[in-house]
Amino acid sequence: MSQALHAVILAAGLGKRMRSSRVKVLHEIAGRPMIEYVVRAAEESGAERVVVVIGHQADEVRAVLGERVTYAYQEEPLGTGHAVLQAEEAVAGATDVLVLYGDTPLIEADLLRRLIAGHRESGAAATLLTAELADPTGYGRIVRDERGAVARIVEQADAGPEELAIREVNTGIACFRRADLFAALRAIRPDNAQGEYYLVDAVRVLREMGRPVHSIKTDEEAAVFGVNDRVALARAEALLRDRIRQRWMRAGVTLIDPGSTWIDEDVEIGPDTVIYPHTFIEAGSRIGAGCCLGPGAHIVASRLGDRVRVWYSVVEESEIGDDVRIGPYSHLRPGCRVEAGVRIGNFAELKGAVIRSGTKVNHHSYLGDVEIGSGVNIGAGTVTVNYDGIRKHKTVIEDDAFIGCNVNLIAPVRVGRSAYVAAGSTINQDVPADALAIARERQVNKEGWVARWRQRVRGE
Ligand code: UD1
Ligand code: CA
């Protein structure tokens, strides 16, 4: 007999406790909406189909998850049990149904696979994932009978003092035999403090139906952490960031000060890269091996080669080759492509700049919409005048050219191969290869002028 597994993720609730105009499951941790983490864990757990129950801001959730999942609609958030019922048709082909909550983003596929395997081995109608927490506040408590079997789950709002003292909680994650799940859900009633159809009541109903309910207890507190308000959101962020940092340290990356190092999910970092304090690496970034980032590096969706050094600088949506040095205090805005061995020094701003290997931009420059060849020297204070108030224009500087200090390059303009541009020039015509361009007032020295002037003024 085939044992099809489908997953149902609940994401239709309002998330009132977030006090937000945005649905809870789209709040981000480590740079990505919570719901994405849950979907990924469900996919990796082996579920053939992932059904997300949406309702509140359904379109926004769909826009984030797209076609990768199947959707079921819950028109009104009448409770978690009611939400699962809305997925009945979508999971009709399943033998077992894995239920997950969209607000439990730290769940990992390994733990889910353990739950599913345990469920299948025992042949139970339902297998709950439970956890023993130091502080169980807010979670449903697991009430066991005299033989230690799960009798029912009591929500915080419905619990008496004895039940509130129970530290074993319902994580909300459970695996059900499909037929038993929906039979039980049809029998639950909203007769509780919140007037909702509680999924957890299915446990009591299954027991009454004589169907066995099992449980698997985890000690991975972080993995089952549920986010209900912004305090918990910050805690989830901290837990996840910690997990990400540990993953990279185990993969051979040195974090000098893990606490001040922020690494998003969807980042890759090569071995022997060393990261100094106050460094941020945002989603979509790929960092090579042997790099040295920070202090104070901020990398956004960029690709860095091997042995790149970035300190006190920002690099956004750019591609950086091997052995490049950036900083201190430089800003690479989106669209830069910097080849191997380039040096971008103090206080440089680059945008849409293609810079070929071995070129130096050592000090105080603005280079926008430029294509710069290899072996070029850009003097301090070089500015591309790329904007005429309406349009942007391009500057091309060919290989081995030398741009003196304080040069304005009024685009569109081209400086030919090996040409020199004299310091202080304002260039508005192309410079031929090997030429020297000087575009500044000639200097005049007036001999003896100071003495004559003093005499006139002071009457000396
Ligand atoms: C739920 C459990 C509780 C458990 C805790 C674990 C119930 C009744 N309680 O409580 O036992 O300890 O999670 O984190 O299940 N949702 C819908 N439709 C609804 C209501 C909720 O889709 O009508 C979704 C929410 O979007 C959310 C999830 O279900 O993603 C859980 O709902 P929430 O209100 O946060 O339940 P808890 O009070 O945390
Ligand atoms: Ca919750």
Side-chain angles (χ1 to χ4, degrees):
M1 201 181 78
S2 84
Q3 294 248 300
L5 175 78
H6 290 180
V8 174
I9 301 174
L10 305 188
L14 300 159
K16 274 192 216 116
R17 291 164 280 184
M18 295 296 283
R19 297 187 187 281
S20 176
S21 58
R22 185 201 239 176
V23 62
K24 175 165 67 178
V25 297
L26 291 188
H27 279 261
E28 291 185 358
I29 60 169
R32 290 165 61 195
M34 275 196 265
I35 185 77
E36 272 194 39
Y37 296 93
V38 186
V39 168
R40 200 205 300 171
E43 285 167 349
E44 289 175 358
S45 76
E48 286 158 42
R49 172 179 270 207
V50 176
V51 181
V52 179
V53 182
I54 48 180
H56 190 61
Q57 293 183 4
D59 290 345
E60 285 85 341
V61 179
R62 280 186 84 115
V64 165
L65 296 176
E67 302 299 310
R68 93 194 244 208
V69 299
T70 304
Y71 296 97
Y73 286 90
Q74 186 192 24
E75 299 228 326
E76 260 186 280
L78 302 178
T80 47
H82 180 262
V84 175
L85 262 178
Q86 312 312 305
E88 185 169 15
E89 225 172 277
V91 300
T95 315
D96 294 304
V97 177
L98 174 67
V99 176
L100 299 155
Y101 292 174
D103 67 353
T104 308
L106 302 185
I107 188 64
E108 286 185 298
D110 276 354
L111 187 52
L112 294 178
R113 282 192 288 263
R114 271 207 336 259
L115 173 71
I116 295 158
H119 173 71
R120 286 184 166 164
E121 250 166 57
S122 71
T127 305
L128 312 175
L129 182 65
T130 74
E132 191 95 21
L133 301 185
D135 177 14
T137 309
Y139 290 89
R141 310 296 205 279
I142 304 286
V143 181
R144 291 183 179 270
D145 64 17
E146 57 288 349
R147 285 174 299 130
V150 178
R152 58 200 165 86
I153 298 167
V154 184
E155 288 304 288
Q156 170 97 17
D158 304 299
E162 262 176 50
E163 291 160 336
L164 285 176
I166 298 172
R167 292 197 302 122
E168 187 184 6
V169 304
N170 172 35
T171 65
I173 297 158
C175 202
F176 295 87
R177 286 191 68 80
R178 181 186 54 82
D180 290 313
L181 171 63
F182 290 101
L185 285 180
R186 269 187 283 275
I188 62 175
R189 292 286 162 261
D191 48 5
N192 49 60
Q194 304 191 81
E196 288 187 0
Y197 292 88
Y198 286 167
L199 170 63
V200 299
D201 278 352
V203 170
R204 186 181 41 79
V205 174
L206 285 171
R207 286 265 303 202
E208 285 165 10
M209 289 162 59
R211 304 290 292 130
V213 175
H214 281 234
S215 66
I216 285 182
K217 204 193 276 187
T218 177
D219 56 6
E220 292 176 50
E221 277 200 35
V224 299
F225 186 74
V227 175
N228 291 324
D229 60 17
R230 303 219 195 204
V231 175
L233 184 72
R235 174 99 184 108
E237 174 100 22
L239 289 167
L240 181 60
R241 297 259 174 215
D242 217 37
R243 185 193 275 176
I244 295 170
R245 288 188 285 251
Q246 286 184 19
R247 191 201 303 150
W248 288 117
M249 288 189 273
R250 292 208 172 87
V253 176
T254 297
L255 305 189
I256 303 284
D257 177 26
S260 76
T261 305
W262 292 67
I263 305 171
D264 280 356
E265 279 284 352
D266 185 26
V267 162
E268 275 171 30
I269 310 173
D272 286 326
T273 284
V274 177
I275 302 180
Y276 283 83
H278 305 293
T279 291
F280 296 74
I281 305 176
E282 292 194 25
S285 296
R286 304 277 173 272
I287 313 293
C291 291
C292 181
L293 305 183
H298 193 151
I299 314 290
V300 183
S302 294
R303 201 172 276 268
L304 275 57
D306 297 335
R307 299 172 304 278
V308 173
R309 167 118 210 247
V310 180
W311 51 315
Y312 295 114
S313 291
V314 180
V315 178
E316 300 175 86
E317 296 167 39
S318 290
E319 233 177 275
I320 312 298
D322 295 342
D323 301 297
V324 169
R325 288 170 57 98
I326 298 172
Y329 310 108
S330 283
H331 184 185
L332 274 68
R333 291 164 51 201
C336 292
R337 218 173 73 229
V338 176
E339 287 185 1
V342 167
R343 173 82 180 90
I344 295 166
N346 309 266
F347 304 98
E349 176 183 346
L350 277 67
K351 188 218 67 171
V354 175
I355 304 184
R356 309 234 179 268
S357 60
T359 284
K360 290 188 200 133
V361 185
N362 275 333
H363 336 265
H364 299 271
S365 287
Y366 169 62
L367 301 175
D369 307 308
V370 292
E371 207 183 302
I372 302 179
S374 64
V376 170
N377 187 82
I378 301 288
T382 296
V383 171
T384 53
V385 185
N386 61 330
Y387 185 47
D388 62 14
I390 299 171
R391 294 158 304 173
K392 297 284 170 66
H393 301 282
K394 191 168 168 184
T395 300
V396 178
I397 301 172
E398 295 181 2
D399 295 351
D400 301 315
F402 184 99
I403 311 296
C405 291
N406 252 3
V407 165
N408 293 317
L409 295 160
I410 302 182
V413 75
R414 172 182 290 264
V415 177
R417 179 183 278 268
S418 300
Y420 265 56
V421 174
S425 293
T426 292
I427 298 295
N428 61 359
Q429 293 165 41
D430 289 355
V431 181
D434 293 310
L436 165 67
I438 307 177
R440 64 184 184 220
E441 283 291 297
R442 237 174 218 288
Q443 182 171 332
V444 178
N445 291 338
K446 298 189 175 176
E447 296 288 343
W449 181 89
V450 177
R452 288 198 300 278
W453 176 74
R454 279 199 182 131
Q455 197 175 26
R456 208 175 59 237
V457 174
R458 293 189 187 151
E460 286 165 359

